[in-house]
Each structure stands twice: as C-alpha cells, then as structure tokens.
Amino acid sequence: MRRKGPWSPERIEGFLREFRAPLRLACNGVSGHPVLASLWFIPLDGKLWCATQRTARVVSHLSRDPRCAFDVSVESPPYRGVRGQGVATLREDRGEEILRMLIDRYLEDSNSQLAAFLLSRVEHEVAVAIEPQTLVSWDYQERMGDAA
C-alpha cells in the first residue's frame, strides 16, 4: 500500500478508529460517471468495513467494478483527514456481524428505534470490505489553528 501525507501509519489508524462520521465512498456507476455514497464504517484488519442493503445501488456498482475511492475527513476547521483508493469486496456472510459492530460504534443506544429498524432488515445486509491501495493524509490544524 502506498501512503502519502504528514501522518504516520499509526496516526492514520488512530484517526480512523476514533472518527465517528460516515465515510464517503465513490464507485463507478453504470454510465461511467462516479457515484458517491455515505456509509458508516469501522476499521478492522487493515480494511474499512461498511454495511448496506443488498439492493443498494452501491452494491450493484461495486459488484460490477470493485475499484473505489473514499474520504474520511473532518467537515469543519481545522480540516484534516484520510482519503484513498482501494478495492471493495462484498461479503454477504458478514453483513449482520458488521452491521451490529457499526450500530455499537455509531449509536449511543443500541436499543434505539433506529437500531431496531436496521436490525429488522438484517437478512438483506451486505458487508463491504474496502482494502486500501493508497492512503493520503492531510492536516491543516497548524495553519488553521485559529479558525477552530
């Protein structure tokens, strides 16, 4: 894997582990134009794992062409984050497992109405494993410190 930017591999891993907003996933649509989706994610074993419904368009796009790009970044100053390119693998056998991990990661109450709704559709859930091929970090905290 190629890495660029100011952060060490450990700093990138720590950021991805602590960050609690969806990643933006770009894949190639049928028309050839890029398609963008926002998905919850969890970093595990060197991959970024997401879950979505089997019928989601992102699943059909990745089935046809597993190449993708992603962005995980802070949306307010000072800006910082990680982006990259990778290859996605769809794993129906891990859909429920990953969904439950995402619920634990993103929802304060795993007994909430949203968690119940998501789990009510778990039999149609597919895990998406993104294996990064490039990772680029950026961090504008030093030059934007007073903008926070």
Side-chain angles (χ1 to χ4, degrees):
M1 175 187 350
R2 295 185 333 225
R3 287 188 183 86
K4 292 174 69 175
W7 290 352
S8 68
E10 295 78 21
R11 175 71 175 99
I12 290 171
E13 184 179 317
F15 176 80
L16 293 172
R17 196 174 44 250
E18 299 301 319
F19 193 75
R20 292 292 190 277
L23 67 71
R24 289 174 284 286
L25 177 65
C27 54
N28 297 305
V30 175
S31 69
H33 286 88
V35 176
L36 196 59
S38 295
L39 298 169
W40 287 351
F41 78 98
I42 188 166
L44 294 170
D45 303 323
K47 297 178 183 173
L48 302 174
W49 288 83
C50 307
T52 190
Q53 289 285 288
R54 185 179 303 123
T55 57
R57 286 200 176 156
V58 68
V59 170
S60 63
H61 295 322
L62 292 171
S63 293
R64 191 180 33 71
D65 184 350
R67 295 173 302 160
C68 60
F70 56 88
D71 175 83
V72 178
S73 59
V74 176
E75 294 184 5
S76 58
Y79 302 117
R80 61 197 177 282
V82 177
R83 65 179 163 253
Q85 295 174 325
V87 175
T89 303
L90 302 172
R91 296 282 307 268
E92 291 195 26
D93 62 317
R94 295 194 69 185
E96 180 175 357
E97 171 195 1
I98 298 299
L99 177 61
R100 289 183 183 279
M101 294 172 86
L102 293 169
I103 288 170
D104 288 344
R105 177 175 163 88
Y106 283 89
L107 299 179
E108 291 180 17
D109 180 6
S110 60
N111 294 315
S112 68
Q113 287 183 346
L114 178 54
F117 169 73
L118 294 171
L119 291 170
S120 74
R121 309 173 328 150
V122 75
E123 68 272 5
H124 302 291
E125 206 70 21
V126 175
V128 179
I130 303 164
E131 185 169 358
Q133 295 178 329
T134 62
L135 285 175
V136 179
S137 63
W138 74 96
D139 191 337
Y140 301 145
Q141 289 184 86
E142 191 172 309
R143 72 181 185 196
M144 293 182 76
D146 60 350

